[in-house]
């Protein structure tokens, strides 16, 4: 049987990436000190942050595109303007003949 336990530095990197990708309010900043203690280089951390941000932005773009498509489909069915005659929708004219609408 093999040992499947991950090194704490790998767990911290994955946690950092997940927090950034998920838009977690803490953004995984608590993992930064741990990663420094484990000797993970700034370049490796930067790469993980870059990948996580890319995943977050791509997911957001796809969600926005899906929402926009659904919104467009729903608003197309309601594109017929209401045909209310102006005279019927307005009040009677003022004594000087001006419309109050």
């Amino acid at each position: 049987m093999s040992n499947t336990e991950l090194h704490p530095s790998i767990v911290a990197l994955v946690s950092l990436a997940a927090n950034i990708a998920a838009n977690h309010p803490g953004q995984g900043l608590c993992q930064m000190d741990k990663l420094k203690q484990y000797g993970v280089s700034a370049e490796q951390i930067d790469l993980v942050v870059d990948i996580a941000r890319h995943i977050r932005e791509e997911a957001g773009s796809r969600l926005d595109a899906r929402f926009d498509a659904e919104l467009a489909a729903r608003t197309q069915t309601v594109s017929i303007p209401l045909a209310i005659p102006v005279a019927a929708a307005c009040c009677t004219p003022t004594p000087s003949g001006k419309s109050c609408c």
Side-chain angles (χ1 to χ4, degrees), residues 9 13 16 32 35-49:
S9 65
L13 280 170
L16 172 66
M32 297 300 285
L35 291 168
K36 289 177 186 176
Q37 290 172 1
Y38 298 135
V40 177
S41 72
E43 291 82 13
Q44 290 173 318
I45 294 170
D46 289 345
L47 178 60
V48 168
V49 169

Side-chain angles (χ1 to χ4, degrees), residues 72-93:
R74 289 175 185 229
T75 56
Q76 286 177 356
T77 60
V78 188
S79 62
I80 302 168
L82 295 175
I84 301 174
V86 174
C90 294
C91 59
T92 58

Side-chain angles (χ1 to χ4, degrees), residues 17 53 67 83:
R53 285 178 175 163
F67 176 82

Side-chain angles (χ1 to χ4, degrees), residues 43-76:
E43 291 82 13
Q44 290 173 318
I45 294 170
D46 289 345
L47 178 60
V48 168
V49 169
D50 188 49
I51 292 168
R53 285 178 175 163
H54 173 74
I55 291 168
R56 179 186 66 204
E57 290 165 10
E58 184 176 305
S61 293
R62 288 184 179 191
L63 284 171
D64 288 346
R66 192 172 2 164
F67 176 82
D68 291 346
E70 183 64 28
L71 180 63
R74 289 175 185 229
T75 56
Q76 286 177 356

